[in-house]
Amino acid sequence: MAAGNVNPFNLSDSEDEADQRAEDGVHIEKSPSVGTQGPSSNNPFSPQADAEPPALLVSSTRTSPCVEGISVSVAAAAMTVALAETRVSVDVIAAQLIRDHYILTALEFHTELLESGRELPRLRDYFSNPGNFERQTGTPPACKEQGLGPGGPLNRAGSISTLDSLDFARYSDDGNRESDERVAESDTQERNKNYSSHPETQEPIRPLEKRALNFLVNEYLLKNEYKLSAITFSDENDDQDFELWDDVGLNIPKPPDLLQIYRNCGSALPSPRNTVDVAVGVESGELTGNYITQKSDLLQQQQTEVVEELEYQISLLNEEKQSLADYIKKLQSEIQSLRRTVSPPPHDQGSQPNPPSSSSSSTPPQPLLDNGQYLDIRGASEPDKPPTESIPPTQTISNPTHTSSQPHAKLKSRGTVVFDQPNRKLSPAFQQALLSFCKMSADSRLGAEVSRIADNEESVMLMLGRCLPHIVPNVLLAKRERMVAHLCQELIPLILCTACLHPEPKERDQLLHILFNLIKRPDDEQRQMILTGCVAFARHVGPTRVEAELLPQCWEQINHKYPERRLLVAEACGALAPYLPKEIRSSLVLSMLQQMLAEDKADMVREAVVKSLAIIMGYIDDPDKYSQGFELMLLSLGDPSERVVSAIHQVFIPAFAAWTTELGNLQTTLIPSLLARIEKLLKQGEHGLDEHKLHMFLSALQSLIPPLFSVVIQNAPFTHRVNLQGDIPPIEVTRFPRPASPLQDIATIVGSRETLSALLILYDYQLEHEGTTGWDSLLWVVNQLLPQLIDIVGRINVASTTCVHEFSRFFWRLCRTFGKIFTNTKVKPQFQEILRLSEENVDALTGNGILTKATVPIYATGVLTCYNQDEDRKLLVGFLEDVMTTLSLSHAPLDSLKASFVELGANPVYHELLLTVLWYGVVHTSALVRCTAARMFELLVKGVNETLVAQRVVPALITLSSDPEISVRISTIPAFGTIMETVTQKELLERVKMQLASFLEDPQYQDQHSLHMEIIRTFGRVGPNAEPRFRDEFVLPHLHKLALGNNVQATESKRIDIATQLFEAYSALSCCFISEELMVNHFLPGLRCLRTDMEQLSPEHEVILSSMIKEGEMKVENRGIGQAEGSVSIAASLVGEDAKTKFLSKMGQLTTSGAMLANVFQRKK
């Protein structure tokens, strides 16, 4: 505390005045804020016999003795003695102002004393008593001398607050306002109690008081959902703005709400006392002329006692200082003896060729440096002692000639450890992105605390090494579970720092064992804390100790029963990889992770293993480990968990590809190995391709496209012309496909977006103007990779929609990554050469077998859709039109065209384009092409919105349904059926229904066997999913009519074809709800007609039909049962639920071929 804040007259003046008042017989209640102790006396302002010296009370807020504080107290005492004879007491001035009724001046004087931290009890008590300010007729000071009684109180100001309610203490700078607030609160409550006990003293409400209460009442009503009352209350007080407290007119802060005021008003005082309200005044006899001279002797005596007391405290502190210094020397000697028993680390030996200098040898060892954590123990007798005698820690580390003579410096030199730097050329951006997959704690306080504690005294570490093994096991298990976050934050740094500096290997091993077993099942946050601490530990101790001390702890936990503990091990292997010896990285750690990947059953553990393996691949530099890395990649790709496979593509493959790039194996070994496995898979899968493995290898190839492109642009002829100076245009947002992770971002691979932008400009210019001469990396892509990929595509089964989709996505990413110029000049010409869509080959199948393969849909959807400009769309439309024409005129299968429509139709962007292609077929001169277009509509209807169906599809089908060629009209029936299955617009359904009715009822179609077959097949396909009214009113009656007409069919082959299709249609419709009327009028009669045909043509089918008819008749007879069962199928009623399952499975087999029906039921006999 500064000397300027000490009032040497405060206590003495108050005591003298109190003595004078005691002599005059005035008894005043002692204020609770007076800082004296001991038993109370009649005079509350007189010093107590057992009270502490006043000067000591001034500095009582310090928690520890300080020489500077003692000096301040001594100075204060000296000033007191020197100035006591020349100054008038402030208490005398206050008494004179009160006596003469200069109330406002006294109030201003009181405020200034409060602001300077020197509160005067006389003024405080006077202004805190409301009795001094009651409304009475004022008596001037002159009348008081004439015997008119004590001075009249000051008229109260027109405000809701009295003077005593003003919080003057909040303007004080000394911070000690707690006791003042208690005094104000006590006085306020006593005053309220006095007012309530004397209701006759209450005055009428004042305008400002009314406005303040109105504001609080309105606030209370709104807070407690009395909104109507609040509105009414506001209307009745329209002259007041209830939203602004300032509108009340009081220059004070807004008070608490009514509820808080009510609660505070009813609270009891902590220490009730019997008190009375008295007015504080000044008698005329109090102010005597010889007041100071009468008390000077007493003042001098008191100040002399203060000085003696302070000198006694100084002597005590000096003795304590000496004892502490002796204790420090003892601890230093113990440290020296302990260090003699510890051999220095190998890297410290021979590091000091020169002997220590005389200055360092003459300076005593000072391991306990003043880092702001210890008391200033310099005595008052040596204030000018230079502070440079304590050598700073930075000098200890930076000056190697002093380390041998400084015991503590040997520990600090461990902070400058050297780690094995791999012989790698990863860009800093790529390396940082790779390490970001280590789950480290975002709070850096943990690592900083480990490093900071690690630079402290070893004696503290020895103590912690002894204590921590006893502290942690004794923490109750329940408390450990509840306070696990606290344990992580506080115990982890202590454990690691102790293990970092402890001289005993066994103790260090025990401490690290405690660390890894501290939490039974650590969650993500707790594992991050542990990993952050381990990394800080590794940075401090170096690779040798990480290998010897941390890795064994990981090895012990590798087969732990809790997956969270194994997950910690997997993550630790990746986090510690940069700090391990490179031989250990590529051997022991790699083997540990490989074992966990192959054996661990937890998905999250294997996912963490894959990420840690990726980090290992970012630091490994042993070429012999390539084959092991490749096998790890294949093993992870075949993992059943999506999490593991995702981690492979996001982290491992980019890191592995970066290593193979540096080895020069990306184009020569890695990509060819994957292509060879795909070709082998296709050869083995002639009778059934393993699509899962194909997807596995192809997805790996897709993840290698960004590294491959980076190799191409970084090994181009123009790399020496890259200039990063000046304005570099930004890369177009859609230039590259969205990367699956930061490691697949080409900008991260090459180093920065500026570098990539500069390379892309030169890349496009080179391709367009200068060619590929001497560009070996790009020539490999053009001359080896693309031809091999196109050959593989030609051997894929076009019916496998999964394979077509996978290869389409691969070519799309390849073309988008390598750019539009590359796609137009290198990729498209090779596909066009293979497909050979020319007029000479339209009528011949020779050489056009490739058009029926997957090459067509993959080229259309993977290459031609990469860019969406007008010329690109025109090229795609022309290609599809040519394919449709060529396949139709060649009578070739349409599977490749259908696959193209299915793949493109999945994206609504291409619906208009596909409709344009089909309209080309609708108006084509060849009936074969028109038939193909009609059949393609069936594929497109399911994905197109109903507006396009109504505006584009149905008009085209209506046009084809009136085509001169009957084959074209028949080809439209499946598309019409699909519309009935998917569309909900009634008008559209009626148009389709009318067209189908014309096919069935028009006499010209009565003998059209192909048309009847197509209609029955379509009814069986769409009937169960179509609108019930369409099924009941149209499908079932016409099936009955067709079955009846088939009984009189003369041609046996046609009769069996129709009967087989009718059987499959009725089998599908039997699973639908059929009303009793339809059952009697159409369904059962149709089945009976079909049974008539089957009795002669296929007795095996007749057995099933008889059972279906019997069950249907039973359902009709038992109406109640029929209504209860509702939509239960007839076939399901054969012999219960088991029979239903068997029957439906058999029906699924029968729908493929009518010729198989007899064999199926014959085996059942």
Side-chain angles (χ1 to χ4, degrees):
M1 181 180 295
N5 291 336
V6 179
N7 180 10
F9 304 101
N10 192 359
L11 183 60
S12 62
D13 294 340
S14 299
E15 291 167 351
D16 295 340
E17 293 299 323
D19 291 341
Q20 182 64 34
R21 287 192 297 274
E23 294 173 1
D24 295 338
V26 179
H27 301 285
I28 302 174
E29 177 199 358
K30 178 183 177 181
S31 172
S33 66
V34 176
T36 58
Q37 301 175 358
S40 60
S41 62
N42 293 333
N43 187 356
F45 298 105
S46 62
Q48 304 299 323
D50 56 349
E52 294 181 3
L56 291 179
L57 294 176
V58 175
S59 61
S60 61
T61 56
R62 292 193 301 269
T63 58
S64 62
C66 179
V67 175
E68 296 172 358
I70 296 170
S71 301
V72 170
S73 300
V74 173
M79 289 176 63
T80 302
V81 176
L83 298 177
E85 299 178 358
T86 60
R87 289 192 179 183
V88 179
S89 170
V90 292
D91 192 71
V92 174
I93 299 173
Q96 181 67 32
L97 291 174
I98 293 173
R99 187 181 69 83
D100 291 342
H101 275 247
Y102 296 112
I103 303 302
L104 295 179
T105 306
L107 176 60
E108 183 67 23
F109 187 45
H110 180 44
T111 303
E112 292 178 352
L113 290 175
L114 283 174
E115 291 177 350
S116 64
R118 299 180 294 168
E119 185 181 37
L120 197 61
R122 181 187 299 277
L123 293 177
R124 181 195 61 215
D125 295 341
Y126 180 82
F127 288 114
S128 63
N129 192 343
N132 296 325
F133 307 99
E134 293 298 330
R135 183 181 298 275
Q136 297 177 6
T137 303
T139 304
C143 299
K144 178 181 177 184
E145 296 178 357
Q146 298 174 4
L148 296 178
L154 178 70
N155 290 337
R156 182 175 297 192
S159 170
I160 188 174
S161 62
T162 59
L163 295 176
D164 63 290
S165 66
L166 294 177
D167 188 9
F168 294 106
R170 68 192 181 98
Y171 300 104
S172 175
D173 294 330
D174 61 353
N176 298 327
R177 46 176 300 205
E178 181 177 346
S179 60
D180 300 330
E181 293 173 350
R182 288 198 297 268
V183 172
E185 180 182 359
S186 174
D187 293 338
T188 303
Q189 293 179 356
E190 290 176 2
R191 183 176 71 252
N192 293 337
K193 180 178 179 182
N194 185 48
Y195 284 170
S196 61
S197 61
H198 303 283
E200 65 275 2
T201 62
Q202 295 184 0
E203 303 174 3
I205 189 169
R206 297 181 179 83
L208 290 176
E209 292 176 338
K210 180 179 179 181
R211 294 175 68 85
L213 289 174
N214 287 346
F215 183 89
L216 295 175
V217 170
N218 183 75
E219 182 184 42
Y220 168 78
L221 292 175
L222 291 176
K223 283 185 178 180
N224 291 275
E225 301 297 330
Y226 298 112
K227 295 183 179 179
L228 295 178
S229 301
I231 294 172
T232 305
F233 186 75
S234 178
D235 292 339
E236 292 175 348
N237 297 276
D238 54 357
D239 61 336
Q240 185 173 349
D241 185 2
F242 288 110
E243 295 183 0
L244 295 174
W245 167 255
D246 294 340
D247 184 67
V248 173
L250 293 176
N251 191 21
I252 61 173
K254 184 179 118 21
D257 56 17
L258 284 181
L259 179 62
Q260 191 66 27
I261 293 174
Y262 169 77
R263 289 174 175 171
N264 292 340
C265 180
S267 60
L269 293 174
S271 57
R273 297 167 296 176
N274 294 326
T275 60
V276 294
D277 288 337
V278 297
V280 180
V282 181
E283 298 297 334
S284 59
E286 292 180 355
L287 299 177
T288 58
N290 57 355
Y291 173 76
I292 297 178
T293 58
Q294 291 176 356
K295 300 298 180 180
S296 60
D297 295 338
L298 178 61
L299 178 63
Q300 185 176 3
Q301 180 182 358
Q302 290 176 345
Q303 298 304 328
T304 303
E305 293 176 356
V306 170
V307 173
E308 293 176 354
E309 180 65 25
L310 293 177
E311 290 177 349
Y312 174 70
Q313 293 290 338
I314 291 174
S315 63
L316 292 178
L317 290 175
N318 285 331
E319 293 177 0
E320 184 179 358
K321 168 196 167 184
Q322 187 62 36
S323 63
L324 289 174
D326 295 339
Y327 183 66
I328 289 172
K329 292 180 180 179
K330 180 181 178 182
L331 291 177
Q332 290 176 357
S333 62
E334 291 181 2
I335 292 172
Q336 292 292 341
S337 61
L338 288 172
R339 282 184 176 164
R340 293 190 190 100
T341 61
V342 181
S343 59
H347 60 271
D348 283 346
Q349 294 178 357
S351 61
Q352 310 297 335
N354 298 325
S357 61
S358 59
S359 60
S360 62
S361 60
S362 61
T363 303
Q366 303 211 10
L368 285 178
L369 302 177
D370 184 8
N371 293 328
Q373 302 175 5
Y374 303 99
L375 296 175
D376 186 0
I377 59 174
R378 294 192 300 270
S381 60
E382 45 180 2
D384 298 330
K385 185 176 180 179
T388 57
E389 292 186 7
S390 296
I391 300 175
T394 55
Q395 294 182 8
T396 306
I397 297 176
S398 60
N399 190 354
T401 61
H402 292 176
T403 55
S404 60
S405 63
Q406 297 286 345
H408 188 51
K410 202 165 14 176
L411 292 174
K412 293 188 177 181
S413 64
R414 298 177 188 172
T416 57
V417 294
V418 179
F419 296 97
D420 291 339
Q421 296 299 326
N423 185 19
R424 298 294 299 273
K425 300 177 182 178
L426 294 178
S427 69
F430 187 88
Q431 193 169 20
Q432 183 178 0
L434 181 61
L435 291 177
S436 68
F437 287 92
C438 293
K439 290 190 175 182
M440 307 292 289
S441 177
D443 182 12
S444 61
R445 183 190 70 84
L446 192 62
E449 197 160 307
V450 172
S451 301
R452 180 166 59 87
I453 298 178
D455 288 336
N456 281 343
E457 190 48 45
E458 188 177 2
S459 61
V460 181
M461 298 305 141
L462 292 173
M463 179 270 295
L464 291 175
R466 293 192 302 270
C467 297
L468 280 176
H470 301 285
I471 293 174
V472 176
N474 290 322
V475 178
L476 294 179
L477 183 60
K479 291 184 178 179
R480 285 180 72 181
E481 294 299 329
R482 290 196 301 267
M483 301 175 62
V484 69
H486 174 73
L487 285 172
C488 284
Q489 293 177 1
E490 304 304 330
L491 284 181
I492 290 175
L494 298 180
I495 293 172
L496 284 170
C497 295
T498 309
C500 183
L501 294 180
H502 202 286
E504 293 294 334
K506 291 184 179 180
E507 296 294 332
R508 295 199 300 265
D509 182 73
Q510 183 180 3
L511 289 168
L512 293 176
H513 181 77
I514 290 174
L515 173 68
F516 276 83
N517 294 273
L518 185 63
I519 306 168
K520 183 168 65 175
R521 306 184 76 165
D523 58 19
D524 287 344
E525 181 181 1
Q526 294 152 8
R527 290 196 308 274
Q528 290 174 14
M529 291 180 182
I530 295 174
L531 291 177
T532 304
C534 289
V535 168
F537 175 87
R539 288 173 178 168
H540 188 80
V541 302
T544 304
R545 284 186 56 183
V546 174
E547 173 194 354
E549 297 175 11
L550 274 181
L551 277 188
Q553 302 298 330
C554 295
W555 184 262
E556 290 179 1
Q557 307 268 342
I558 196 172
N559 291 317
H560 200 278
K561 64 178 181 178
Y562 292 128
E564 291 84 359
R565 300 280 278 275
R566 304 196 301 272
L567 182 59
L568 176 62
V569 173
E571 293 172 347
C573 289
L576 296 174
Y579 310 101
L580 289 167
K582 59 181 181 181
E583 298 82 4
I584 298 299
R585 273 198 297 259
S586 57
S587 57
L588 177 60
V589 178
L590 193 62
S591 300
M592 289 172 58
L593 292 173
Q594 185 174 9
Q595 177 183 343
M596 296 182 72
L597 181 63
E599 298 177 358
D600 205 292
K601 297 181 180 180
D603 295 351
M604 61 180 181
V605 176
R606 297 198 305 276
E607 179 188 14
V609 167
V610 167
K611 293 179 179 179
S612 295
L613 283 171
I615 297 173
I616 296 294
M617 293 300 154
Y619 283 87
I620 199 170
D621 56 2
D622 184 2
D624 296 337
K625 298 296 180 181
Y626 167 80
S627 59
Q628 187 176 0
F630 184 75
E631 293 301 325
L632 287 171
M633 183 185 72
L634 296 181
L635 179 63
S636 303
L637 286 170
D639 196 280
S641 172
E642 289 291 336
R643 298 175 58 176
V644 178
V645 176
S646 177
I648 274 288
H649 292 296
Q650 293 180 6
V651 193
F652 184 87
I653 290 181
F656 186 62
W659 182 36
T660 55
T661 299
E662 295 182 21
L663 295 176
N665 293 342
L666 181 64
Q667 294 179 320
T668 60
T669 307
L670 180 56
I671 294 178
S673 298
L674 291 172
L675 291 174
R677 280 167 170 75
I678 292 176
E679 290 181 335
K680 182 179 179 181
L681 199 62
L682 292 175
K683 291 179 181 179
Q684 295 174 349
E686 294 179 356
H687 302 289
L689 180 64
D690 190 343
E691 294 185 355
H692 174 70
K693 284 189 176 181
L694 180 63
H695 166 74
M696 183 177 77
F697 297 138
L698 194 58
S699 63
L701 273 178
Q702 184 169 306
S703 297
L704 291 174
I705 293 176
L708 177 62
F709 182 71
S710 66
V711 169
V712 170
I713 61 176
Q714 286 180 310
N715 293 276
F718 52 75
T719 52
H720 65 280
R721 303 201 306 265
V722 175
N723 184 13
L724 299 180
Q725 304 298 327
D727 294 334
I728 300 177
I731 302 173
E732 185 182 354
V733 178
T734 58
R735 171 62 181 84
F736 293 104
R738 184 184 300 273
S741 76
L743 295 176
Q744 289 191 359
D745 189 351
I746 300 175
T748 304
I749 299 175
V750 301
S752 67
R753 301 198 68 82
E754 292 76 14
T755 304
L756 178 59
S757 178
L759 288 171
L760 286 177
I761 295 172
L762 297 173
Y763 169 79
D764 291 337
Y765 183 84
Q766 182 83 17
L767 282 178
E768 191 171 3
H769 300 287
E770 299 181 5
T772 60
T773 304
W775 199 346
D776 295 338
S777 56
L778 185 66
L779 289 174
W780 179 87
V781 175
V782 175
N783 298 331
Q784 296 187 39
L785 179 62
L786 283 176
Q788 192 172 1
L789 285 171
I790 294 174
D791 179 65
I792 291 174
V793 164
R795 286 183 277 164
I796 294 176
N797 183 8
V798 70
S800 175
T801 57
T802 303
C803 294
V804 171
H805 177 76
E806 293 289 339
F807 271 96
S808 296
R809 293 302 88 195
F810 173 81
F811 272 97
W812 186 88
R813 295 188 74 90
L814 179 70
C815 294
R816 285 303 299 265
T817 302
F818 277 79
K820 189 172 185 178
I821 298 175
F822 179 85
T823 302
N824 291 335
T825 59
K826 306 299 179 185
V827 180
K828 290 180 181 179
Q830 294 198 32
F831 271 98
Q832 292 167 359
E833 177 65 23
I834 294 294
L835 294 173
R836 286 181 297 172
L837 294 173
S838 58
E839 292 296 332
E840 310 72 71
N841 296 326
V842 167
D843 296 326
L845 278 176
T846 306
N848 274 315
I850 192 68
L851 292 181
T852 62
K853 302 296 183 181
T855 310
V856 169
I858 290 173
Y859 175 60
T861 61
V863 178
L864 298 181
T865 62
C866 286
Y867 301 95
N868 205 22
Q869 302 296 329
D870 289 339
E871 59 271 17
D872 302 309
R873 298 176 69 88
K874 289 179 181 178
L875 185 61
L876 176 59
V877 169
F879 174 73
L880 292 175
E881 291 174 352
D882 292 343
V883 170
M884 182 171 62
T885 303
T886 303
L887 293 178
S888 300
L889 298 180
S890 303
H891 299 277
L894 302 177
D895 293 339
S896 60
L897 185 64
K898 290 180 179 180
S900 302
F901 269 74
V902 170
E903 187 71 19
L904 290 172
N907 190 347
V909 174
Y910 298 107
H911 287 172
E912 285 281 357
L913 184 146
L914 293 176
L915 288 172
T916 302
V917 173
L918 290 181
W919 186 252
Y920 166 82
V922 170
V923 298
H924 200 276
T925 55
S926 172
L928 295 174
V929 178
R930 296 198 299 273
C931 286
T932 301
R935 295 195 176 277
M936 290 299 106
F937 275 112
E938 177 188 357
L939 301 175
L940 196 59
V941 166
K942 292 183 179 180
V944 177
N945 62 69
E946 294 189 5
T947 302
L948 281 179
V949 171
Q951 296 177 355
R952 302 284 300 274
V953 177
V954 172
L957 289 174
I958 295 295
T959 302
L960 292 174
S961 64
S962 59
D963 193 89
E965 293 292 333
I966 186 66
S967 59
V968 176
R969 283 176 267 174
I970 294 174
S971 299
T972 62
I973 294 176
F976 280 125
T978 303
I979 292 175
M980 298 299 297
E981 185 181 14
T982 57
V983 176
T984 58
Q985 294 183 14
K986 291 185 178 180
E987 296 180 359
L988 202 57
L989 292 175
E990 287 297 326
R991 292 179 63 185
V992 173
K993 182 179 176 182
M994 291 175 59
Q995 185 60 49
L996 291 175
S998 67
F999 286 145
L1000 290 168
E1001 298 171 1
D1002 196 325
Q1004 63 175 327
Y1005 299 120
Q1006 288 183 356
D1007 298 330
Q1008 291 296 330
H1009 177 72
S1010 299
L1011 184 143
H1012 293 160
M1013 288 282 293
E1014 195 67 50
I1015 286 181
I1016 296 172
R1017 187 182 299 111
T1018 301
F1019 282 173
R1021 177 173 58 85
V1022 305
N1025 300 320
E1027 186 185 14
R1029 196 164 71 95
F1030 171 74
R1031 182 175 62 243
D1032 296 341
E1033 298 178 1
F1034 190 82
V1035 174
L1036 289 176
H1038 283 92
L1039 282 178
H1040 178 201
K1041 188 181 296 185
L1042 290 170
L1044 188 62
N1046 196 48
N1047 289 148
V1048 295
Q1049 175 62 252
T1051 307
E1052 185 174 349
S1053 60
K1054 294 182 179 181
R1055 187 178 180 186
I1056 187 60
D1057 290 341
I1058 296 292
T1060 302
Q1061 290 298 328
L1062 284 172
F1063 180 81
E1064 293 184 2
Y1066 273 111
S1067 299
L1069 291 171
S1070 65
C1071 297
C1072 304
F1073 170 77
I1074 301 175
S1075 65
E1076 183 180 346
E1077 181 181 0
L1078 287 173
M1079 184 74 70
V1080 173
N1081 295 333
H1082 295 294
F1083 193 81
L1084 288 177
L1087 285 177
R1088 293 188 184 102
C1089 293
L1090 181 58
R1091 183 176 60 178
T1092 302
D1093 292 334
M1094 289 301 180
E1095 286 177 353
Q1096 304 175 7
L1097 302 174
S1098 179
E1100 295 83 3
H1101 292 73
E1102 189 267 339
V1103 177
I1104 299 296
L1105 291 171
S1106 297
S1107 300
M1108 295 172 64
I1109 294 171
K1110 182 178 179 181
E1111 293 300 327
E1113 293 173 346
M1114 291 177 60
K1115 184 176 180 181
V1116 173
E1117 294 176 359
N1118 303 318
R1119 294 183 180 180
I1121 299 176
Q1123 292 177 358
E1125 292 182 352
S1127 61
V1128 177
S1129 92
I1130 299 173
S1133 304
L1134 293 174
V1135 283
E1137 290 296 327
D1138 294 338
K1140 174 184 175 182
T1141 303
K1142 294 179 181 179
F1143 176 78
L1144 291 178
S1145 65
K1146 294 299 181 184
M1147 290 302 102
Q1149 299 175 12
L1150 294 179
T1151 55
T1152 56
S1153 173
M1156 295 174 60
L1157 295 176
N1159 296 332
V1160 169
F1161 292 107
Q1162 185 175 6
R1163 287 195 296 268
K1164 187 177 179 181
K1165 289 184 179 180

